[in-house]
Amino acid sequence: MEPLLAANGILLHKIAGLGIRVEASNDALERFKQSFDRSDSLEYSAEERKILIFCSLLEHDEPVKLFSLAHELRVTMPTISHDLDELEESIVKQGLTLVRRRGYGVEIVGPEEAKRHAVSLLAINHLDDSELFGQFADLAVSNPITAQLLDMIGKENFKKLEQALWELSDDWSNTLSESDYTRLLIKLSVALTRIGHGCVIPADRTNKSEVIPLLQGLLDILNIQLPIQEQAYLSHLLDQEAFPESSLLIHHDDMPTIEGVKLLILRVEAQLQMSLTHDRSLEEGLIQHIKPAFQRIKDGIAIRNPMLAPIKKDYSALFSIVRSAVQEIYQKIKVPDEEIGYIVMHFGASLERLKPFPRKVRAVLVCTSGIGSSKLLAVKIAKELPQIELIGHYSWFEARRLPPSRYDLIISTVDLPLEPDRYIKLSPMLTPEETNKLRSYIEGTTLKKISSAAAAETDASGHSPMDRLLLLQLYSGIVLRLLDGFRVHDLTLEQGQAHLEQQLPAMLSLIGETSIDTHLTKISEQLIARERQGSLVIPDTELALLHTRSEWVEAPLLALYRFDTPLQLSGEEADAAQASQALMMLGPLKLDTYSLELLSEISAMLLLPELLTVLVHGNAASIKLFISKKLEHYIKTKLDWRES
């Protein structure tokens, strides 16, 4: 120790019989202490080291010496070698190869597309929305992993892309969830950043994808030129990420999702001995949340939940009930506690939503942790501060577009790219300290700007009486037109003609619409293509749901077909699915949100045993009566309509 201390201006005195002491000025001692603090901050856990190693190898397009990695991370070379052993399986899974040769070094080789995907996945797993969208103009990022990933995705490119997408038409973005939008931004930013560093897709790579208009508009705003192979790559990326299956009324995975959510709610309410099945908000929130969340788990994307500890504490009994129900219903997927926590928040919000609360201050809620956390925060705000009227839940990119006249206050759970005086940041759990902070903000700023007359005209649902009447008229008109045209057709299938492809033209002609009769073959092909993506026979029934959206369909249509012998759907003769009844739903290619919403609601009804019974045995009048009653209840719930 003596030479080390001496080099830092510190003398070591060893006195026999007394002991050892150091002699130095206060400044020298303080500098020496700080040098140890700096060293401690550079000590990484094994997981942190592996992330930084992975990042370093992806960033360098040439071999990196083990000594260099060991020196940078302040560990021994055998430690780095062990980390690489554990990393290799993950690298291979992403279509890349880890090359390690003595005297050569270590590097990752593989297609540029795979490297971009690997960088994007690291960013998705380890960067929060506040780090991606927060204001870092004058702040240094202290976390080395965060700093490294922000550099690799290109924080400046990320901001430019976000702004450019804002300037484009927003029709396509309305179909994306917030997490989907963020993932798209990350992937685009990674691509542009790596292109800027000279990491490009080879020009001889065969790719016949056309440049889609959305990409062309984006490149025009950014004022950049890209080689044709990169344009093809980005076009494919945008087409894959930004545009869901727009030709379908209901995605073929939606029915299992809806069925699973309904079972989950039934299991939980049985344990709680409380009725939750009529809470449309709970059901809709879980359907929207579970499908993408479980897909992220299957894709290996880590689920992080910073509120997990307080959720377990505040909702311990509910957490156990929900975890048990999820494990019972979703046996094929291992759902971590972090994801269970988000699902618990949906149920917690539903339980607290049973109590009505008055509101007087118009506020919009922005929450990037998920729909469940935003609803939980909403009910906590309503409970603690009844003068707040939450007029809607929005994502951060929707909130930026809202005109200031629509609201008095924005409440967010993360930093937003907005002026500080336009919003207040809170945690989803709303601590007592934050409640006081919010109350002070309202009393000191918001309440001074509120017009009591304007506040009195709006009810708790966020709609004025006139708005509700207009929406009621709109919904009712759609339902009446849809059910007015509903017919039940009994069909006799000739021998050898019991295949869906053979029967579709005749089935469509029975609808009696000129535009459909003119394009029977093309609409039939669309229905067949849809059906081949996955059978839509309702579980444990002989009822098939056939649906598509087509440019040759002028208005939403609904028809039921019953067959005297089973109709064979797609598949090989031996294992082809069969149906004794088929419900056909057709819609225009450009379908308004309200019509699509009601058609989706009808498809969800197909999980109700009562409707299935009526479809098999009832006449057209009884079927229309059942559907109309259910839709009436749905519309009243949607508009928060109160009878008294």
Side-chain angles (χ1 to χ4, degrees), residues 499 501 568-578:
H499 293 263
E501 293 92 333
Q568 184 173 301
L569 305 179
S570 63
E572 299 297 329
E573 291 284 344
D575 59 357
Q578 294 183 335

Side-chain angles (χ1 to χ4, degrees), residues 257-267 283 604 607-608:
T257 302
I258 295 170
E259 184 179 19
V261 166
K262 286 183 178 291
L263 286 173
L264 178 60
I265 293 173
L266 288 173
R267 294 281 196 284
E283 184 178 320
L607 296 172
L608 299 174

Side-chain angles (χ1 to χ4, degrees), residues 166-350:
W166 271 90
E167 296 178 24
L168 292 171
S169 169
D170 63 348
D171 292 342
W172 63 272
S173 63
N174 292 333
T175 62
L176 294 180
S177 67
E178 187 171 338
S179 59
D180 291 338
Y181 185 84
T182 302
R183 185 172 65 245
L184 172 62
L185 275 174
I186 288 173
K187 290 186 175 183
L188 288 172
S189 186
V190 167
L192 292 183
T193 300
R194 288 186 65 84
I195 291 170
H197 292 160
C199 302
V200 296
I201 295 171
D204 59 349
R205 188 72 53 84
T206 57
N207 195 323
K208 299 180 181 179
S209 300
E210 296 181 2
V211 178
I212 61 175
L214 179 59
L215 175 63
Q216 194 57 58
L218 192 61
L219 296 178
D220 290 343
I221 292 174
L222 294 172
N223 193 26
I224 58 176
Q225 299 289 329
L226 294 177
I228 189 63
Q229 71 273 15
E230 291 292 357
Q231 293 184 40
Y233 169 81
L234 292 176
S235 290
H236 176 71
L237 178 61
L238 281 167
D239 193 49
Q240 188 179 45
E241 297 284 341
F243 299 105
E245 296 172 272
S246 59
S247 64
L248 306 183
L249 287 171
I250 306 111
H251 191 276
H252 65 277
D253 288 337
D254 284 347
M255 296 303 291
T257 302
I258 295 170
E259 184 179 19
V261 166
K262 286 183 178 291
L263 286 173
L264 178 60
I265 293 173
L266 288 173
R267 294 281 196 284
V268 173
E269 73 173 8
Q271 290 294 317
L272 294 174
Q273 297 184 342
M274 296 178 65
S275 178
L276 300 173
T277 50
H278 296 298
D279 186 352
R280 291 293 311 180
S281 186
L282 170 63
E283 184 178 320
E284 290 175 359
L286 285 172
I287 289 170
Q288 293 178 48
H289 173 85
I290 281 180
K291 184 178 175 182
F294 282 16
Q295 187 58 51
R296 286 194 292 272
I297 294 173
K298 292 175 182 176
D299 292 343
I301 299 175
I303 303 293
R304 289 177 294 164
N305 189 341
M307 293 90 69
L308 183 59
I311 289 171
K312 284 185 172 181
K313 178 182 177 183
D314 295 344
Y315 295 93
S316 57
L318 182 60
F319 191 93
S320 298
I321 290 171
V322 171
R323 178 164 56 185
S324 176
V326 168
Q327 289 172 347
E328 181 181 350
I329 295 167
Y330 302 98
Q331 297 180 7
K332 294 183 179 180
I333 180 172
K334 186 177 181 181
V335 183
D337 278 0
E338 288 77 7
E339 177 54 34
I340 297 292
Y342 285 123
I343 297 174
V344 167
M345 295 174 81
H346 285 267
F347 283 100
S350 179

Side-chain angles (χ1 to χ4, degrees), residues 273-535:
Q273 297 184 342
M274 296 178 65
S275 178
L276 300 173
T277 50
H278 296 298
D279 186 352
R280 291 293 311 180
S281 186
L282 170 63
E283 184 178 320
E284 290 175 359
L286 285 172
I287 289 170
Q288 293 178 48
H289 173 85
I290 281 180
K291 184 178 175 182
F294 282 16
Q295 187 58 51
R296 286 194 292 272
I297 294 173
K298 292 175 182 176
D299 292 343
I301 299 175
I303 303 293
R304 289 177 294 164
N305 189 341
M307 293 90 69
L308 183 59
I311 289 171
K312 284 185 172 181
K313 178 182 177 183
D314 295 344
Y315 295 93
S316 57
L318 182 60
F319 191 93
S320 298
I321 290 171
V322 171
R323 178 164 56 185
S324 176
V326 168
Q327 289 172 347
E328 181 181 350
I329 295 167
Y330 302 98
Q331 297 180 7
K332 294 183 179 180
I333 180 172
K334 186 177 181 181
V335 183
D337 278 0
E338 288 77 7
E339 177 54 34
I340 297 292
Y342 285 123
I343 297 174
V344 167
M345 295 174 81
H346 285 267
F347 283 100
S350 179
L351 294 175
E352 297 202 33
R353 200 161 44 236
L354 296 175
K355 303 175 184 179
F357 304 112
R359 300 177 177 89
K360 297 177 184 177
V361 176
R362 297 176 303 161
V364 296
L365 183 60
V366 177
C367 190
T368 58
S369 297
I371 296 171
S373 57
S374 68
K375 290 183 177 178
L376 183 59
L377 177 57
V379 295
K380 284 183 173 291
I381 290 172
K383 185 176 181 180
E384 300 295 333
L385 297 168
Q387 64 263 52
I388 296 180
E389 174 194 341
L390 292 172
I391 64 172
H393 300 219
Y394 296 90
S395 60
W396 54 266
F397 54 94
E398 291 172 326
R400 285 183 68 176
R401 296 184 177 182
L402 288 176
S405 60
R406 288 276 307 279
Y407 61 88
D408 304 301
L409 170 68
I410 290 181
I411 300 171
S412 173
T413 59
V414 296
D415 293 319
L416 297 178
L418 300 173
E419 296 80 2
D421 59 350
R422 287 185 60 191
Y423 79 102
I424 183 171
K425 179 184 174 183
L426 303 171
S427 74
M429 300 307 292
L430 192 66
T431 63
E433 294 78 10
E434 289 177 320
T435 301
N436 293 332
K437 175 184 173 183
L438 180 55
R439 182 180 289 108
S440 299
Y441 188 94
I442 292 170
E443 293 173 349
T445 306
T446 310
L447 287 175
K448 295 179 181 179
K449 301 184 293 182
I450 293 179
S451 166
S452 58
E457 290 177 1
T458 309
D459 64 15
S461 68
H463 302 294
S464 70
M466 181 62 73
D467 289 338
R468 291 204 302 176
L469 287 171
L470 290 172
L471 283 171
L472 180 62
Q473 181 186 38
L474 178 62
Y475 278 120
S476 301
I478 296 169
V479 173
L480 290 172
R481 286 191 297 272
L482 185 64
L483 294 182
D484 185 56
F486 175 75
R487 298 288 185 275
V488 177
H489 305 285
D490 294 307
L491 298 181
T492 301
L493 303 182
E494 301 293 337
Q495 188 173 4
Q497 296 293 313
H499 293 263
L500 178 63
E501 293 92 333
Q502 297 165 326
Q503 291 297 323
L504 268 178
M507 292 165 63
L508 289 168
S509 65
L510 290 173
I511 294 174
E513 292 287 335
T514 305
S515 59
I516 293 178
D517 290 340
T518 307
H519 302 93
L520 287 177
T521 303
K522 292 180 179 178
I523 299 175
S524 296
E525 289 173 353
Q526 290 175 332
L527 285 165
I528 291 297
R530 166 63 195 91
E531 199 276 333
R532 283 174 178 164
Q533 293 180 22
S535 174

Side-chain angles (χ1 to χ4, degrees), residues 42-61:
L42 292 174
E43 292 180 4
Y44 304 108
S45 68
E47 286 304 312
E48 289 172 333
R49 279 199 315 273
K50 284 186 279 189
I51 293 169
L52 289 170
I53 291 170
F54 201 178
C55 287
S56 181
L57 295 178
L58 286 169
E59 200 171 26
H60 291 87
D61 216 18

